[in-house]
């Protein structure tokens, strides 16, 4: 019996679609969603598969972790975004196997055929072989991570509010953030604002000045992907805001409430009730699944090495984009960074290339436009390095806000975010100060782990 050519019955039935080439997109993040958008109305039928039913605007996860916005403000249901298009089908689940020779995937224990396969499953968090640290220091990749960090911070403050022991209270009011990239800087700055200012009126027994946020990075400066002047500006702001910086500190060990660091001056131990990890990423496990199935090359980080059209050797119909791919066909030969901007451009280009191939037309080569990078490090204070133009402070924040609102895929989210940002600026109150979920709820749904796997 021939494998099912998967596309669920449309309502009303449209028999013309059933004869069209089938494009399966795995992953509803920035790259996958852009590819799906670009294929709407084209002479193909599209199946978008994701194990979550929403697109997550990951750059704003730190605002969920610090209670500035709610989960729904940074997540948009995929069915509402693209599922209403006549030639698009949204399915919930996780791809377990790929049979490249048969052009089939194993999905929800069934085999389905494809004509083109786009893999855009993103990345998870890497603990550099120390997976036992995951439950002690949650990362920042999915909503459950943000909820867990917020739960830990607020639970510690609630305990501190009724703790008579000053040493215990100091411990409960302390946070350590590991990783001085954009995510770590944004999280540290937002938690610092939360603990030292936003909660000043809410907790009667706590002294906000005793709240302590320490930002740790093994390098000699923060935001090493940006210009040194940007790093210097960020470090100066953090020091003025009361965030402790520990540069040149490599994590040796993490235990309950403790981080042991190796520094040039010897070992140093930090104690804090909440420890957060933003120091490393790893691609989705689907890269290894693809390599095992096709023999394609992967780099030392586990990313799939792709051709200039994002395909792999011997299987031109398989495209890999976003954080899952290693794309080095650039002017300087350096792989494109695992960021939202490149992923979106990859998704749009691959979709256009597939349409061009089907029409036997030549498609222009992929060319990435680097808009630059930016990070918010405090209220109305951001740093931005945009193609050599450097901005800090209020101007940087305004540019950051405009860029993120423009990048947000759903209008409803744009309105909600803008209103909550303005409210926080006017009142310093946070909109989502809820303690929800269960401890370590993120352990079973980490992006980088296969289904059902947990860390030790």
């Amino acid at each position: 019996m021939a494998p099912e050519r998967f596309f669920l019955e449309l309502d009303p039935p449209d028999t013309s679609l059933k004869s069209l080439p089938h494009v399966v997109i795995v992953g509803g993040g920035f790259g996958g969603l852009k590819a799906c958008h670009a294929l709407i109305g084209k002479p193909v039928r599209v199946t978008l598969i994701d194990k979550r039913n929403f697109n997550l605007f990951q750059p704003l996860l730190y605002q969920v972790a610090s209670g500035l916005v709610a989960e729904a403000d940074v997540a948009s249901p995929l069915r509402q975004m693209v599922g209403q298009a006549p030639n698009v089908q949204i399915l919930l689940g996780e791809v377990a196997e790929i049979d490249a020779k048969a052009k089939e995937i194993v999905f929800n224990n069934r085999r389905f055929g494809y004509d083109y396969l786009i893999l855009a499953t993103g990345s998870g968090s890497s603990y550099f072989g120390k997976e036992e640290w995951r439950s002690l220091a949650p990362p920042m990749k999915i909503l459950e991570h943000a909820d867990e960090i917020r739960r830990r911070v607020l639970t510690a403050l609630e305990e501190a509010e009724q703790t008579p022991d000053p040493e215990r209270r100091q411990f409960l009011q302390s946070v350590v953030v590991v990783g001085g990239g954009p995510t770590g800087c944004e999280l540290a700055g937002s938690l610092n604002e939360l603990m030292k200012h936003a909660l000043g009126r809410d907790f009667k027994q706590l002294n906000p000045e005793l709240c302590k946020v320490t930002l740790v990075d093994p390098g000699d400066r923060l935001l090493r992907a940006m210009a040194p002047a940007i790093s210097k500006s960020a470090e100066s702001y953090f020091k003025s805001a009361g965030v402790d910086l520990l540069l040149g500190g490599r994590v040796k060990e993490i235990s309950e409430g403790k981080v042991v660091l190796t520094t040039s001056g010897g070992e140093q131990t930090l104690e804090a009730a909440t420890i957060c990890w933003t120091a490393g990423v790893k691609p989705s496990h689907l890269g290894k699944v693809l390599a095992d199935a096709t023999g394609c090359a992967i780099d030392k980080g586990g990313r799939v090495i792709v051709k200039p059209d994002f395909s792999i050797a011997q299987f031109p119909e398989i495209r890999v984009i976003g954080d899952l791919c290693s794309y080095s066909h650039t002017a300087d030969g350096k792989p494109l960074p695992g960021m939202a901007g490149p992923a979106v451009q990859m998704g749009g280009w691959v979709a256009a290339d597939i349409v061009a191939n089907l029409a036997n037309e030549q498609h222009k080569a992929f060319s990435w436009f680097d808009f630059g990078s930016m990070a918010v490090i405090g209220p109305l204070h951001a740093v931005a390095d945009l193609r050599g133009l450097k901005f800090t402070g209020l101007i940087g924040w305004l540019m950051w806000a405009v860029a993120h609102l423009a990048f947000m895929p759903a209008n409803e989210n744009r309105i909600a975010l803008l209103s909550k940002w303005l409210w926080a600026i006017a009142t310093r109150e946070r909109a989502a100060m809820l303690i929800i979920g269960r401890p370590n709820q993120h352990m079973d749904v980490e992006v980088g782990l296969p289904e059902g796997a947990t860390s030790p």
Side-chain angles (χ1 to χ4, degrees):
M1 182 176 179
E4 181 178 355
R5 299 292 291 172
F6 185 57
F7 195 78
L8 296 186
E9 190 70 23
L10 298 176
D11 185 19
D14 188 343
T15 56
S16 64
L17 285 175
K18 296 181 180 181
S19 62
L20 294 178
H22 186 201
V23 180
V24 173
I25 303 172
V26 184
F30 287 110
L33 184 64
K34 179 62 178 180
C36 191
H37 269 297
L39 292 172
I40 290 177
K42 303 300 182 182
V44 295
R45 49 197 175 98
V46 181
T47 299
L48 175 60
I49 300 172
D50 200 301
K51 60 183 179 181
R52 320 305 293 274
N53 76 332
F54 55 84
N55 168 269
L56 175 63
F57 197 79
Q58 204 174 76
L60 294 181
L61 265 184
Y62 76 93
Q63 295 195 1
V64 177
S66 59
L68 187 61
V69 301
E71 292 86 342
D73 297 327
V74 299
S76 306
L78 289 170
R79 292 188 180 278
Q80 295 179 13
M81 300 178 75
V82 293
Q84 298 175 15
N87 67 324
V88 174
Q89 173 71 58
I90 309 295
L91 296 175
L92 186 67
E94 185 171 9
V95 173
E97 297 178 29
I98 299 172
D99 188 340
K101 292 183 178 180
K103 291 188 179 181
E104 296 172 7
I105 58 172
V106 176
F107 167 64
N108 288 351
N109 297 318
R110 298 179 67 184
R111 300 177 71 88
F112 299 110
Y114 62 82
D115 295 296
Y116 288 91
L117 178 64
I118 301 176
L119 300 180
T121 48
S123 62
S125 300
S126 171
Y127 287 79
F128 308 110
K130 297 287 187 178
E131 283 298 315
E132 65 271 17
W133 294 351
R134 188 177 296 273
S135 63
L136 301 168
M140 275 284 294
K141 278 292 183 179
I142 54 178
L143 281 176
E144 284 83 357
H145 296 159
D147 286 342
E148 177 67 9
I149 291 172
R150 184 181 62 204
R151 186 192 67 79
R152 293 188 185 198
V153 171
L154 295 182
T155 299
L157 292 176
E158 290 289 351
E159 182 182 344
E161 175 79 351
Q162 50 189 299
T163 299
D165 182 355
E167 291 186 4
R168 176 66 179 173
R169 192 182 306 123
Q170 178 67 73
F171 169 78
L172 293 167
Q173 292 179 243
S174 298
V175 174
V176 172
V177 177
V178 180
T183 301
C185 287
E186 290 174 333
L187 180 60
S190 193
L191 289 178
N192 185 66
E193 168 68 11
L194 165 69
M195 298 176 71
K196 292 187 176 179
H197 300 290
L199 296 182
R201 292 169 294 185
D202 300 335
F203 287 81
K204 308 302 183 185
Q205 305 299 324
L206 300 185
N207 181 357
E209 294 183 0
L210 296 181
C211 291
K212 182 179 180 181
V213 176
T214 303
L215 180 57
V216 176
D217 191 85
D220 58 356
R221 63 184 179 95
L222 300 177
L223 300 169
R224 280 172 282 164
M226 299 187 186
I230 293 293
S231 299
K232 185 176 181 180
S233 175
E235 291 166 14
S236 176
Y237 175 84
F238 277 137
K239 290 177 182 177
S240 67
V243 176
D244 289 350
L245 301 180
L246 205 166
L247 301 177
R250 293 187 175 276
V251 177
K252 178 181 179 181
E253 190 57 58
I254 298 179
S255 57
E256 191 71 38
K258 289 185 179 181
V259 180
V260 179
L261 304 167
T262 301
T263 70
S264 58
E267 285 191 2
Q268 184 171 343
T269 299
L270 302 177
E271 296 187 355
T274 305
I275 304 169
C276 309
W277 182 270
T278 67
V281 297
K282 65 179 178 182
S284 160
H285 70 282
L286 205 59
K288 185 178 184 305
V289 171
L290 180 65
D292 291 342
T294 65
C296 69
I298 56 177
D299 66 13
K300 62 181 181 180
R303 293 171 174 80
V304 178
I305 298 175
V306 296
K307 293 183 174 183
D309 64 352
F310 298 93
S311 67
I312 59 174
Q314 300 181 357
F315 297 96
E317 70 280 359
I318 298 178
R319 311 295 183 93
V320 185
I321 63 175
D323 292 358
L324 188 58
C325 82
S326 176
Y327 186 92
S328 301
H329 308 282
T330 55
D332 58 7
K334 295 181 179 179
L336 293 183
M339 299 169 61
V344 169
Q345 294 179 47
M346 291 175 189
W349 187 91
V350 164
D353 190 63
I354 290 174
V355 173
N357 287 346
L358 291 171
N360 292 319
E361 297 176 352
Q362 189 71 26
H363 187 217
K364 64 180 180 179
F366 176 76
S367 178
W368 173 53
F369 186 85
D370 184 5
F371 289 96
S373 54
M374 53 183 65
V376 168
I377 57 177
L380 299 178
H381 194 109
V383 293
D385 188 352
L386 308 179
R387 298 182 65 82
L389 299 177
K390 301 171 181 61
F391 303 92
T392 61
L394 178 59
I395 295 178
W397 186 87
L398 290 172
M399 298 185 71
W400 171 91
V402 170
H404 280 66
L405 289 175
F407 221 62
M408 177 64 63
N411 288 328
E412 179 182 353
N413 293 75
R414 291 191 186 101
I415 296 171
L417 286 170
L418 181 59
S419 63
K420 290 181 179 181
W421 289 348
L422 294 176
W423 178 257
I425 291 170
T427 67
R428 274 191 160 169
E429 291 184 358
R430 305 256 158 162
M433 302 299 291
L434 304 177
I435 300 176
I436 59 175
R438 57 181 176 80
N440 288 328
Q441 65 177 359
H442 67 282
M443 294 293 289
D444 294 331
V445 289
E446 165 62 32
V447 175
L449 297 174
E451 185 177 14
T454 59
S455 59

